[in-house]
Every structure is written in structure tokens, then in C-alpha cells.
Amino acid sequence: MINQATIQQVKDRMDIEEVVSDYVSLKRKGQNLWACCPFHDEKTPSFSISPAKGIYKCFGCGKAGDAISFVEEHDGLTYIEAIRHLAQKYGIEVQEEEQSDDQVRQQNERDSLFIVLNFANEYFKETLKKHEEGQSIGLSYFRERGFTEKTIEKFELGYSLDQWDALTQKALKNAYNEDILEKAGLLVRKDDGKKYDRFRGRVIFPIHNVTGKVVAFGARTLKKDAKPKYLNSPETDVYHKSKILYGLFQGKQTIRQQDNCYLVEGYTDVISMHQSDIENVVSSSGTSLTDDQIRLIRRFTDNITVLFDGDTAGLMAALRGVDMILEAGLNVRVVVFPEGEDPDSYSRKLGTSEFKKYLKENSRDLITFKAGLYAEEAARDPIRKAESIKEIVSSITKIPDPIKRAIYIKETSSVLDIDEGVLLSEMNKLLINQKRKKGKEREQQETSNEMLQELMDGPAESKTLDHSKIVKIQERESIRLLINYGFNEIEEEYRLYNYLFEQLEDIEFTTPVYKEILDIFKRELAEGRVVDSHFFINHCSTEIKNEVVNLLTERHEVSPNWNDKFQIFVPHEHDILENVVFTNVLRLKFRVIQKLITDNLSKMKDAKEEEEQDRYFKIHGELKKSEMEIAKVLGIVVSR
């Protein structure tokens, strides 16, 4: 395990702006930096970085943390792997220390998977180049396809011998055990005890993750009757096919530079396009595109060009699957090759310059292309035309940008020769249905907004509110102030946390995460340790870490124009901190009392005995008296 001194050195050296800018383009707005979130699909930036605090926060999906957690989330790494990545980035020597038995087992197993996969990769490459069978079958096949030596090296292509256990025997001689070979997907065991290499007599296409590590293999048979034609590694601890794009590692820089990503079907399509000097290309490896894969592409560009084989029947089905790219807010274009051709065959047939020219001249936006395609198909069939209209309008509704939707409706109206109003009507129906599905989420958000407004302005009719939720919000505000300003000195040797602890002594927090943060703060303080945001982020559970980051992050900043340009002074929170804290404590007490009143009234209503009713009535009187006293100080009007 990496020792704490190394981890601390990484934390001291890392700069969140430098780290995140390796993945997304950042724009400064006020004190913070903003970008479209790399973790979910959005058109308007809601991903914020605070360089001063060293944290990030997405106000869309809620993900938050520091530079380490960003690398963990973005690259799918463990905490220790993220530390190693950042240590390498900043040239920090990693020092190791003892781990627990469980930590050693987990880390060793993951490391072993990468090591044995790399061993297998080197073995397949060597077999291709140096073994007689590899040269005569595998290398001959690649050369027949026109792959140069440089291309073979670039994609680390290989060959597996047509033997039952050639790789296994080689691995055992190099001290690898059968269990790790099986876990890596290289060895297959049968129930009857038989075992053999998964890949035999096939050319090998290594699959890399975004950082360049080999995580799996694709293998093609060269025998005419052998099935399946392509065989892929199973999912493992380091390989999840829905989160991997073949060619992304080799093409990510060009994708970013060209601001466009070509999407093809197979391994050889990717490789052939690289040979045609087109490197901004990836493949989903013959499977349907997933949300995770779309997010992977979006890290580098908002523009995808999908390349389709010239098969009309298959094209219709494939186009329906592309709608999810539109829904993600990306710009989608389409290129279709002549019948019987694919990117691999056509790039070899045309040559580099002519192939590039073809892609440029035949690229059309998805909606216009789809409309034209359906128009041709349904020209003499009114029923099919009606179905086509619904298909196209359904695709248009997936586009988040209303301006783009309006443009495509107009274009589709022209192509299909149908009244624009009819298309708008159909689109609105579909949009209404989509909004209904999201109704519950919107309703919850509106409730939250109402509660926040209530906290700012005071209640008009407190009896209609959910006091438990409002108490939670006020508890959150108390913890926010404690974490952000706890060690601020109010008077000499009297800090803000002293005041909060005194005032909240008789209040039992009801929200588990805020109660735990408060307890940890008190406990660590009693041990003589300084408790700040970094302590919670680095030493506490994921739930607490995320909550603390949320408490540190503000979505909106006061524009400097108010003071610099308009000469209007807008005080910062720390300028009026004592008043903010005093008001917060009163509001929390006020909300707790209102909740107690509601609970007491419920008990009074259920009471059967007169004596019991009288007792609850007296409690009600005392609580109302306290409520009125605090309301008077806060300037809130409440009913008697």
C-alpha cells in the first residue's frame, strides 16, 4: 500500500485545474471554472471547479470531490490507482507501506490481471512475428488486408497458435497460475475438469482502456467454417465491454483536435481508417452503443459521424439505435457507403485521399438523412409514410436544443412534403409524454424549491409544510457554517464552533449524515485535531465526503460588476457571518419547535383519556409560546 507521506505529497502537489483540464475544456467564470460534465450528458455547463478549495461539483448529476476522486470516477480507477496516476503525472516517487490482508488480496488480484493480460499480449505479438504458424497464417492475413508493419505495431496485433493450451503452458512456465489466467478470460475450465486456451488459431486484436492498458482481446478465426467468426474476452474485474471503445486510446488526441469522432462497427474498420490517415475513429466492437460509451466520446468531442455499410435493410434498424446519441445532446452526422462496402473495404479500394474526400462530401446530418431515406422508401405507400413521419419526429424530440428541433421540423416538412404544423403537433405530443414521465422528479424539485424559499422568506402558512424536511435543510445549513467557518474567531479565544455547540446542545439532529458529521467534528476536536473540510474529504465515508463537497460548493457567485461597475456593495457571507450564524441557529430552533408542535398535536388528537389530552394541551401552550418568541426576533408572522 502507498504510505501516507506519498499520498500527502500527491495531495499537496496536485492542482485540480491541471488534473481536470486533461479531460475537459474549462472556461473561467468569476472565481470558478466551468465545463459540460464528463459524467453525464448535458448541453449547458453545470460542472464547476473551485481552484481555491480544490474541489469539483456537478450541479446536474451531483457528482463531487477532489482531484483524486475525479480521476477515480473518470478513469474507473481505485483510490490507490488514482494516487499512482497522479504521482506519475507530477513525478512523485511512490513509497509503499504494509496493507491489510484484504487490501493486499484485492490490489494483487487487480494488478495480476493487468500483468497477465500484458503477458498474453506480448506472447501473441511474438507468436505473430516469430513463430512459423504465426507468420504464415496470422501475418499473411494482416498483410493481405494491407496492414503495414507500423499499423501492426500501433495496434499491437497478434496471433494465437492453433493448439489447445499453448498460451497456458507458456504462462505456467513463467510462474503465472491457472486461477488468474481464468479470471483474465484467457483460460476456460469445463465442469468435467478439462481446460484449454480461450483463443486458439485466431488473429488477435488487443483491447485497451482509455489509459492504454490491455484489458481484453478480440480474436478472429481464419478458418472458413469455424464459429464464431469473432470471439471476445468475457467481462472481468478490469473489462466491462459497455464502457470500452476500441481505438479510443489510439485516437483520443486526434478526436479532440479534429473535434469529431467517426463511429464504425469493427476492429478492422478502425485499423483501416488509421491506415488512411484518419485516426479520430472508434468502434463499439459489434455491440449496440451504450450510454457509457457515448459519455466516453463526449469527453473529447460533441460531434459524432456514424459510418454505415451500404445495406438498406440493416441501415433502418441501425438508425433507430443512433437516437440515444441525439438524446445525449451530441451532434450526429451520417455517411453511408455503396452497397457491399464498409469502411475497411472502401478505404482500401479508394486510397487515402479519395476516401477522405468521400467522407467529406457524403457526410449529412442524421435527421435530414433519415428524412430523405424514409421519403424514398414511402413515396408510394401512404401508410408507410405515416410510420416514417412518426419515426423521424421521434428522433427530433430526442434533441435537447429547442432551436435545433425547430430547424429539423422545418427541414423534414420540406423533404417529406407535409405541413409543418402536423409535424409540430406530433412532436408536441411526444414531448408532453416525455415530460409526464419526468413529472415525479420535477414535482420533487419544486417541493425542494418551495422549502428553500420558505427558509429565505418565512412561512405564510406553516401548517402546510413538511417540517421534517425543513428541519433537515436547516440542519444542513448549520453543518455548512460549521465546516466553512468553524474556526473563525468571534471573540478572543472564542470560535464559531464554540457558539454553535453551545446553542445546539439541547437539539438532537435527526438527519443521519449531518448528525455523524457533527459527532465526528466534536470527537476529533476533543482529541486536539483540527477538523476542516480536507479532513472529512480525506478520512471519512463516501457519503460524508460527497456531502461535505456539496456544502463547500456554491453554484452562483456575485458578479464583480456590482461593485466595480455599478458601485453597489454586495456583502460576502463572511462579512456578515455573526448575523448569519445567529439567524441560522434561531431558524433551526424555530423549525424544531414547529415539528414538535405538529407531533404533539398528532398525539393530542389520538389521546383517549382526558388527563392525557390536558397534558398534551399544556405542552402545546409552552411550545407555541417559544415559537412566538423566536418568530418575533426573526420577524416571522405565525398564527396563535
Side-chain angles (χ1 to χ4, degrees):
M1 183 178 180
I2 300 175
N3 68 19
Q4 286 301 313
T6 299
I7 293 174
Q8 192 57 52
Q9 194 177 356
V10 168
K11 289 177 179 178
D12 292 341
R13 178 66 183 85
M14 69 188 187
D15 180 290
I16 194 161
E17 180 178 350
E18 290 178 354
V19 172
V20 177
S21 63
D22 287 344
Y23 300 86
V24 295
S25 299
L26 301 171
K27 292 183 179 179
R28 183 169 294 278
K29 187 171 70 174
Q31 296 180 358
N32 292 343
L33 299 158
W34 293 80
C36 284
C37 180
F39 303 123
H40 81 288
D41 303 318
E42 63 177 5
K43 204 63 180 173
T44 303
S46 61
F47 181 83
S48 175
I49 291 174
S50 171
K53 296 175 181 175
I55 58 175
Y56 71 90
K57 161 75 175 176
C58 177
F59 293 93
C61 67
K63 291 190 183 297
D66 59 4
I68 298 171
S69 59
F70 178 87
V71 173
E72 283 183 78
E73 183 74 30
H74 192 280
D75 288 346
L77 305 179
T78 65
Y79 178 80
I80 294 301
E81 288 170 340
I83 291 290
R84 292 184 189 277
H85 172 83
L86 291 170
Q88 184 179 12
K89 175 180 174 66
Y90 289 110
I92 297 169
E93 184 180 355
V94 175
Q95 301 292 331
E96 306 282 346
E97 67 180 24
E98 288 189 17
Q99 296 176 280
S100 70
D101 291 342
D102 190 50
Q103 288 173 323
V104 169
R105 183 188 60 77
Q106 290 179 6
Q107 187 59 45
N108 282 350
E109 186 166 299
R110 191 175 174 88
D111 288 343
S112 295
L113 287 174
F114 282 122
I115 291 169
V116 78
L117 286 164
N118 184 66
F119 167 80
N121 187 44
E122 293 299 323
Y123 170 76
F124 291 141
K125 289 194 297 181
E126 184 177 358
T127 302
L128 178 75
K129 294 178 181 178
K130 297 183 178 180
H131 196 283
E132 184 179 349
E133 182 183 327
Q135 292 174 338
S136 61
I137 299 177
L139 197 56
S140 295
Y141 168 77
F142 287 137
R143 285 174 175 166
E144 283 172 12
R145 299 202 73 114
F147 295 170
T148 64
E149 188 65 30
K150 181 180 178 182
T151 297
I152 292 171
E153 287 286 342
K154 184 177 186 179
F155 287 90
E156 302 188 274
L157 304 180
Y159 180 77
S160 61
L161 294 175
D162 193 9
Q163 299 174 15
W164 282 104
D165 60 354
L167 171 63
T168 297
Q169 291 304 320
K170 184 75 172 178
L172 292 175
K173 287 179 182 178
N174 282 270
Y176 295 103
N177 64 58
E178 291 182 353
D179 287 340
I180 202 67
L181 287 168
E182 184 180 15
K183 288 178 180 178
L186 297 167
L187 175 69
V188 177
R189 293 184 203 252
K190 290 292 188 180
D191 293 337
D192 59 6
K194 292 181 180 179
K195 51 197 175 189
Y196 51 86
D197 291 347
R198 182 178 298 275
F199 307 114
R200 304 180 311 281
R202 292 170 179 265
V203 288
I204 301 293
F205 300 86
I207 299 170
H208 303 79
N209 64 14
V210 73
T211 61
K213 290 183 178 180
V214 174
V215 293
F217 298 97
R220 186 193 192 282
T221 183
L222 302 180
K223 298 176 182 178
K224 290 183 180 180
D225 300 326
K227 291 184 180 180
K229 184 177 180 181
Y230 278 94
L231 180 64
N232 294 326
S233 294
E235 296 218 339
T236 66
D237 285 345
V238 298
Y239 173 59
H240 304 283
K241 61 183 178 181
S242 66
K243 298 182 179 182
I244 294 288
L245 285 164
Y246 183 76
L248 183 61
F249 168 65
Q250 291 86 353
K252 60 185 180 182
Q253 296 303 327
T254 309
I255 291 170
R256 183 178 279 141
Q257 292 164 5
Q258 299 288 333
D259 196 20
N260 180 48
C261 178
Y262 289 108
L263 179 64
V264 296
E265 185 176 349
Y267 306 127
T268 54
D269 292 328
V270 171
I271 297 171
S272 291
M273 288 186 67
H274 272 258
Q275 290 229 142
S276 294
D277 197 28
I278 300 169
E279 298 184 350
N280 51 322
V281 54
V282 300
S283 165
S284 59
S285 304
T287 61
S288 299
L289 199 66
T290 67
D291 289 331
D292 286 325
Q293 289 171 333
I294 293 171
R295 280 193 285 271
L296 266 177
I297 295 173
R298 189 159 191 182
R299 294 180 189 177
F300 305 98
T301 182
D302 285 335
N303 302 296
I304 295 180
T305 301
V306 187
L307 306 186
F308 286 112
D309 301 349
D311 173 14
T312 305
L315 182 59
M316 293 296 188
L319 282 174
R320 283 190 282 272
V322 177
D323 282 353
M324 62 193 303
I325 306 177
L326 288 175
E327 198 166 7
L330 277 72
N331 304 311
V332 188
R333 299 187 72 81
V334 175
V335 174
V336 178
F337 295 107
E339 190 169 350
E341 301 286 359
D342 57 33
D344 177 23
S345 64
Y346 210 50
S347 63
R348 286 186 284 124
K349 178 180 287 187
L350 293 185
T352 298
S353 58
E354 286 299 313
F355 186 66
K356 284 184 174 181
K357 183 180 178 182
Y358 182 87
L359 292 179
K360 185 177 181 180
E361 292 179 350
N362 291 273
S363 174
R364 299 173 64 187
D365 73 80
L366 175 65
I367 301 298
T368 304
F369 172 79
K370 202 171 183 179
L373 189 67
Y374 280 117
E376 292 174 15
E377 188 190 51
R380 298 180 182 179
D381 186 347
I383 295 176
R384 183 64 189 123
K385 186 171 184 178
E387 293 173 355
S388 301
I389 291 168
K390 290 183 178 181
E391 284 274 1
I392 297 165
V393 174
S394 176
S395 294
I396 295 174
T397 61
K398 300 291 193 295
I399 301 171
D401 188 338
I403 296 176
K404 286 184 180 178
R405 289 202 301 262
I407 292 171
Y408 283 127
I409 285 289
K410 192 175 187 67
E411 182 71 21
T412 303
S413 169
S414 175
V415 173
L416 294 179
D417 190 25
I418 189 170
D419 186 79
E420 191 175 334
V422 174
L423 298 178
L424 282 170
S425 177
E426 179 65 23
M427 183 179 73
N428 288 334
K429 287 179 185 177
L430 293 173
L431 289 172
I432 288 169
N433 287 335
Q434 289 175 14
K435 288 179 180 179
R436 282 175 179 166
K437 289 179 182 178
K438 297 177 181 178
K440 186 176 181 181
E441 181 182 340
R442 186 175 63 250
E443 194 174 303
Q444 291 174 344
Q445 184 62 47
E446 288 172 354
T447 301
S448 177
N449 290 340
E450 287 174 6
M451 287 192 293
L452 288 171
Q453 191 65 39
E454 166 69 14
L455 286 173
M456 294 169 61
D457 300 334
E461 291 292 337
S462 62
K463 64 182 180 181
T464 64
L465 299 174
D466 185 335
H467 295 296
S468 296
K469 291 181 180 179
I470 298 179
V471 167
K472 177 181 178 179
I473 292 173
Q474 208 62 56
E475 287 177 352
R476 180 185 190 278
E477 178 66 3
S478 298
I479 297 300
R480 185 187 71 81
L481 291 169
L482 178 64
I483 289 173
N484 280 281
Y485 306 108
F487 284 86
N488 282 36
E489 208 168 55
I490 297 176
E491 298 174 5
E492 189 174 352
E493 297 186 1
Y494 187 75
R495 300 185 185 277
L496 186 143
Y497 70 77
N498 296 122
Y499 173 78
L500 280 174
F501 290 170
E502 290 172 5
Q503 294 297 319
L504 302 178
E505 186 176 359
D506 296 328
I507 295 177
E508 183 73 20
F509 275 36
T510 58
T511 310
V513 66
Y514 302 137
K515 184 179 187 302
E516 188 175 357
I517 291 173
L518 185 62
D519 291 343
I520 291 172
F521 198 106
K522 289 179 178 179
R523 184 179 67 243
E524 295 299 319
L525 199 62
E527 294 292 330
R529 286 186 279 269
V530 174
V531 193
D532 57 9
S533 58
H534 296 292
F535 175 87
F536 287 104
I537 291 173
N538 294 324
H539 297 93
C540 294
S541 67
T542 301
E543 182 186 16
I544 288 179
K545 179 183 74 173
N546 289 340
E547 188 61 41
V548 168
V549 170
N550 289 337
L551 296 172
L552 291 171
T553 313
E554 297 177 5
R555 178 157 194 171
H556 303 291
E557 298 179 48
V558 176
S559 170
N561 287 336
W562 287 106
N563 192 15
D564 300 340
K565 186 175 181 180
F566 302 116
Q567 302 299 307
I568 298 174
F569 174 69
V570 180
H572 190 276
E573 185 173 63
H574 58 66
D575 297 322
I576 53 172
L577 186 58
E578 290 184 33
N579 182 59
V580 170
V581 176
F582 174 73
T583 303
N584 169 72
V585 169
L586 282 181
R587 284 191 179 276
L588 177 56
K589 291 180 177 180
F590 182 69
R591 299 308 180 190
V592 170
I593 288 170
Q594 287 194 317
K595 184 178 183 301
L596 291 173
I597 289 172
T598 302
D599 294 343
N600 188 69
L601 284 171
S602 179
K603 292 176 182 177
M604 189 189 304
K605 181 180 178 181
D606 295 337
K608 301 263 193 297
E609 302 294 330
E610 185 176 344
E611 183 179 344
E612 192 178 10
Q613 290 177 347
D614 288 342
R615 181 161 59 86
Y616 287 129
F617 186 78
K618 288 178 181 178
I619 294 173
H620 180 75
E622 292 298 320
L623 290 172
K624 287 299 290 183
K625 181 180 178 182
S626 298
E627 180 194 33
M628 295 294 293
E629 289 174 354
I630 297 177
K632 185 176 180 182
V633 178
L634 290 172
I636 296 174
V637 178
V638 296
S639 58
R640 292 184 178 274

